Amino acid sequence: KVYKEISFNYVDDIDPQEFMRAGIKGMLSKLDPYTVFIDEKNQDNIDLLTNGKYGGVGISIGVRNDKVTVLEILDGYAAQKQGLRIGDVITKIGESIVTPEKIDEISSLVKGEPGTSVQIKVLRSNEPDTLIFNLIREEVIIKNLSFADFYPENSNNVYLKLTNFSRSASDEVRSALIQLKNKKEIKSIILDLRGNPGGLLDIAVDICNKFLKKD
């Protein structure tokens, strides 16, 4: 009702979409920092959360020492094939100059429709000049469990490295535990969540349900 009253009766013209987004932003600011709004411009992020895949070049980026840096490179995708390395500092994507303040926008610049190209310029510590990589985006499939096995190998301890909470994460954990239980008895489990950026709340709860008693 407040939105409607202001939209119709405010003294100046109001952009309804911008006004609505401001309202959403205001509501979320009262919640925890992990509750975020993903709009239609970030469809790739929605695809990643729901399907565990997106169009991209196979890198994860973040801010390190006030520089936008390559933090992870996935095996078998364009970034690895062309020689990008962990620690490379990204300075430009296409025609857009990259700065830490724009970190939220950078991911959408790298991602895109499989088959399309993107140019990434980086600085490497032992190289005097900017390196240029022309990469073709592919369908990148993210596994939630990057490692699941007995460790040490001759022990009864299972080590699970869980890197995401996308739609298939709970099923991956369940399948891994069933397979390992068929090998031998499981006496303890290490669930490693380091570096896990989060994902779908209901999936995180579902995984908790596998290990914790009710209530």
Side-chain angles (χ1 to χ4, degrees):
K1 188 176 179 182
V2 171
Y3 174 81
K4 184 179 177 182
E5 286 292 331
I6 294 174
S7 295
F8 282 120
N9 299 318
Y10 187 64
V11 64
D12 290 324
D13 290 335
I14 286 177
D15 181 332
Q17 187 180 57
E18 191 176 312
F19 191 40
M20 178 63 79
R21 288 173 188 271
I24 293 170
K25 189 175 181 181
M27 284 190 289
L28 297 186
S29 70
K30 297 297 182 183
L31 305 177
D32 62 70
Y34 309 106
T35 304
V36 295
F37 173 61
I38 303 175
D39 66 17
E40 70 281 1
K41 293 183 292 184
N42 292 293
Q43 182 64 43
D44 289 316
N45 289 331
I46 298 173
D47 291 341
L48 175 58
L49 284 171
T50 55
N51 304 320
K53 58 187 179 182
Y54 66 94
V57 298
I59 60 172
S60 294
I61 57 177
V63 177
R64 292 292 182 272
N65 299 319
D66 295 324
K67 296 176 181 175
V68 177
T69 307
V70 177
L71 303 181
E72 182 184 8
I73 295 181
L74 301 179
D75 290 340
Y77 294 104
Q80 185 206 40
K81 294 173 188 173
Q82 295 294 327
L84 267 168
R85 297 180 190 172
I86 292 173
D88 284 347
V89 174
I90 300 176
T91 59
K92 202 171 183 182
I93 299 174
E95 297 301 317
S96 301
I97 295 172
V98 170
T99 62
E101 296 77 28
K102 296 181 179 179
I103 188 67
D104 292 337
E105 303 170 19
I106 293 168
S107 180
S108 62
L109 293 173
V110 177
K111 294 174 182 174
E113 193 69 27
T116 58
S117 63
V118 59
Q119 185 182 86
I120 299 178
K121 293 184 180 181
V122 306
L123 288 172
R124 188 170 290 168
S125 57
N126 59 347
E127 299 285 344
D129 299 317
T130 302
L131 302 176
I132 299 174
F133 295 88
N134 292 302
L135 307 174
I136 302 297
R137 297 182 181 96
E138 306 168 67
E139 184 177 83
V140 178
I141 299 174
I142 299 293
K143 288 178 65 178
N144 294 279
L145 270 180
S146 59
F147 184 89
D149 210 340
F150 288 99
Y151 189 87
E153 197 173 336
N154 59 354
S155 74
N156 295 93
N157 176 68
V158 166
Y159 178 87
L160 302 175
K161 174 63 175 167
L162 190 64
T163 57
N164 286 282
F165 287 102
S166 74
R167 183 61 63 196
S168 61
S170 182
D171 291 337
E172 287 181 40
V173 170
R174 180 176 177 274
S175 297
L177 290 175
I178 290 172
Q179 288 177 13
L180 292 170
K181 192 176 180 181
N182 289 336
K183 286 184 180 180
K184 57 181 172 179
E185 184 185 7
I186 298 173
K187 291 185 177 179
S188 59
I189 297 172
I190 293 174
L191 184 59
D192 188 350
L193 298 174
R194 290 175 298 172
N196 187 321
L200 298 173
L201 176 62
D202 58 330
I203 298 300
V205 171
D206 196 34
I207 289 172
C208 288
N209 287 341
K210 300 185 190 318
F211 302 105
L212 304 175
K213 293 178 181 177
K214 188 176 179 180
D215 299 322

